[in-house]
Amino acid sequence: MYQTLRTLVLSNARCWDADSERSYQDLFERLDTNKDGKVDVAELRAGLKAMGIFRQGAAQQIVSSGDQNKDGSLDFKEFTKYLKEHEKKLRLTFKSLDRNNDEIQQSLAELGMHISSEDAQKILHSMDIDGTMVVDWNEWREHFLLCPAHNLEEIIRYWKHSTVLDIGDSLAIPDEFTEEEKSSGGWWKQLAAGAMAGAVSRTGTAPLDRMKVFMQVHSSKVNKISLAGGFKQMIKEGGLTSLWRGNGINVLKIAPETAIKFMAYEQYKKLLSEEGKKIETHKRFMAGSLAGATAQTAIYPMEVLKTRLTLRKTGQYSGMFDCAKTILKKEGIMAFYKGYIPNLLGIIPYAGIDLAVYETLKNAWLSYHPKDSANPGVLVLVGCGTISSTCGQLASYPLALVRTRMQAQASLDASDQPSMSSLMKKIVAKDGFFGLYRGILPNFMKVIPAVSISYVVYEYMKTGLGISK
């Protein structure tokens, strides 16, 4: 269906010349469905969809780039000028790939992107319309003419592993931004959109998050807590609004953690990579883990406050400041870093498995759908991201449970406060290995609603901030 529609819209693509007004006129008339002599965002979006181009914000980006008189649409002159300029950029990129007898793998390596021969084959398949296993200029242009990607980095960023899918824990590797996004300020808008998406998502799933913490701390073999029983107990003790205890500070810590992690990630990447070269996966993992550790170190007292406020009884604290003041007065400054070591150690399995599973799922999908490798679609990207993040959480969950227990037990006498290893041994001895996974059910239950809410809010926020359609 995709090839048929693209052929209908770009029927003369193979014989186009960069200066052929007639070819541009044919395409313009096909896109201008209401025949008003202009192509607006809605018309262009419909045309792109028909051609199988589903990148978020593509139509808006094209119109914004070519709209010289700022009327929100492109007339034929503006449309033609945009296509000619875009073709020049595509030709430069194509030449940089085509200078070594079409050996994509070697050419990409020279551009700083190291891929396997299998991946090079998949890139070739995705654009090779005539089956010759050689991508010529017409195939390259037809594939990317109405894709607002100015360089190879942007083209391949379809498969960027996005961390806007918030499932309550910010342990994933941060997003990477292009130089254009950094210079234009688009990066902070994306971070702001992601932070707002996380805030709404966490608020929507706060009852399940509180249940998870409640079960992590209080559930055991002798004191089994079911979902229904736990919710009933919490509502009975503090009313319906008690299900959102701890959510305020859980939302507040998103912005500083995101900002610190992003800035630290950029610095660590510079330290670990050579200038002018793309950072390798293992160095990206190292930089991401170090950035996560830096951010967690800075905001960790807020993590402790979140746990205490989540578990508090009615009337115990008047608010987060009262809670902080009470902890500081009764337990000292070190109480704000209880559970810090297991929390820090949890970053490594989470980030490592998250990246590994995402790459595995991506490659598995590509092996079955090589022709769509350049544009996998929203559902595939969200699905891969959700599964990989969930696997990362599953791997790091025992450490998260131990961290929560230590945060909750910080008010005990020093002699009664177990170390990470002794607490883990105690849990296994008392409840068995699966005792380390207490509360995993509500944690899994919140994944799908959390991802759905965060994705929808993120898209609306991008629109509101002017970085999407």
Side-chain angles (χ1 to χ4, degrees), residues 2-28:
Y2 161 63
Q3 290 294 346
T4 304
L5 287 169
R6 189 165 73 170
T7 301
L8 286 172
V9 179
L10 295 174
S11 56
N12 298 320
R14 303 231 186 139
C15 58
W16 279 7
D17 182 87
D19 298 318
S20 175
E21 295 283 323
R22 182 65 237 168
S23 297
Y24 290 140
Q25 183 73 46
D26 290 342
L27 178 56
F28 184 82

Side-chain angles (χ1 to χ4, degrees), residues 404-467:
T404 305
R405 287 271 183 101
M406 292 178 75
Q407 289 172 343
Q409 293 174 351
S411 58
L412 300 175
D413 292 334
S415 58
D416 295 328
Q417 292 180 20
S419 64
M420 179 184 76
S421 57
S422 62
L423 182 56
M424 196 170 280
K425 287 176 185 176
K426 185 179 177 181
I427 293 170
V428 173
K430 187 178 178 181
D431 297 326
F433 174 75
F434 290 105
L436 295 171
Y437 284 87
R438 296 284 181 193
I440 195 75
L441 179 59
N443 195 57
F444 279 159
M445 285 176 67
K446 73 175 185 173
V447 169
I448 292 177
V451 166
S452 303
I453 293 169
S454 62
Y455 182 78
V456 171
V457 175
Y458 180 69
E459 290 304 314
Y460 274 107
M461 281 298 298
K462 286 207 301 179
T463 302
L465 291 171
I467 53 174

